[in-house]
Amino acid sequence: AHLMPPVGQGANMALLDGAVLGLALAAHQDDIPAAVKEYEQEMFERTGAAARKSAEIQEMLAAPDASRKMLAFFQPR
């Protein structure tokens, strides 16, 4: 499955970060360091995947045949 280019993903990730951190804090009310560690593990995995996808799209846009690659990217499979 194709993912859309990461337009606006910073705002989306910030909202998700807040929700995930809130859930971790609620689950570990008596252990804030454990809550932050749980949140950070999830956040690093999620944002790492988004960063890799963003880099792939940036590479595609900078390629000599960018228009052909972008057209292929948006074609249904």
Side-chain angles (χ1 to χ4, degrees), residues 8-58:
Q9 286 303 321
N12 293 339
M13 285 193 167
L15 290 170
L16 185 55
D17 282 344
V20 172
L21 179 57
L23 289 171
L25 289 167
H28 301 282
Q29 294 177 22
D30 296 331
D31 191 352
I32 302 298
V36 171
K37 182 177 181 179
E38 179 180 301
Y39 156 73
E40 285 180 340
Q41 285 177 318
E42 187 281 337
M43 185 263 304
F44 288 139
E45 290 175 18
R46 177 172 35 86
T47 58
R52 286 187 295 278
K53 189 55 154 176
S54 181
E56 289 174 20
I57 292 170
Q58 181 64 32

